[in-house]
Amino acid sequence: MVMDSTALMDSFGRSLLAELQDNARLSIAELARRVGLSATATAERMKQMEEVGIVRSYTVEIDREALGLEVLAFIRLTCDGQHYYRLMEFVQTLEEVRECHHLTGGDAFLLKVTTTSMSGLEALIEALLPYGNPVTSVVLSTPIERRKYAVTGKLTSVAKKKAGWAARR
């Protein structure tokens, strides 16, 4: 029987997620030791978290520059209705597109792309022109990359922090 995802997000579930974000290659025995469950209970909890979609995959991070992908950029793209589905099909075929987000507001899409060179980026932008109006920002550096999710259940919102900052002034 699959549990409700809310029930899985108790203190043990949150501890498991915190540990997995630090190192997804930990053995079940080591995870169990760290979170205070038996190995059997830990394995069952992990299986349930996978079944309900809390844990979607276990991945490896690869340094894009080691692969020769020197350029990282974001492309905002306006796209009218008649080009929407064609664009969605097209970006699925592009290895350069790492992420594609459908947005509200003036831009329809935000693409995170990597290329081996500026000329490769230029060719990608030109390939997108039939689908809409691309606006490109090249990344100079990334001070924060792949930040972990807070799994404590107690997110500190900017509004709460702002109130604290105002009280200290």
Side-chain angles (χ1 to χ4, degrees), residues 49-61:
M49 292 175 108
E50 292 167 7
E51 287 174 352
V52 300
I54 295 170
V55 174
R56 295 190 311 203
S57 69
Y58 301 85
T59 64
V60 62
E61 287 186 44

Side-chain angles (χ1 to χ4, degrees), residues 85-160:
Y85 292 107
R86 287 182 40 235
L87 173 66
M88 292 307 304
E89 288 176 13
F90 182 59
V91 296
Q92 295 288 337
T93 69
L94 300 173
E95 288 184 29
E96 296 89 346
V97 176
R98 305 300 307 147
E99 297 175 11
C100 176
H101 303 276
H102 188 208
L103 307 175
T104 62
D107 298 319
F109 294 97
L110 176 65
L111 307 177
K112 180 179 179 180
V113 302
T114 56
T115 62
T116 57
S117 64
M118 290 303 285
S119 62
L121 179 61
E122 183 178 16
L124 176 61
I125 294 165
E126 289 173 2
L128 292 169
L129 286 172
Y131 302 95
N133 183 30
V135 176
T136 305
S137 298
V138 175
V139 174
L140 299 175
S141 67
T142 305
I144 298 173
E145 187 170 33
R146 198 160 181 214
R147 182 174 270 178
K148 296 175 189 172
Y149 288 104
V151 294
T152 61
K154 300 175 183 173
L155 294 177
T156 305
S157 71
V158 173
K160 289 179 187 175

Side-chain angles (χ1 to χ4, degrees), residues 28-48:
I28 294 295
E30 181 60 21
L31 273 172
R33 187 187 67 71
R34 291 184 183 197
V35 301
L37 289 173
S38 70
T40 303
T42 300
E44 181 60 27
R45 179 65 67 101
M46 291 304 305
K47 179 181 172 198
Q48 291 169 338

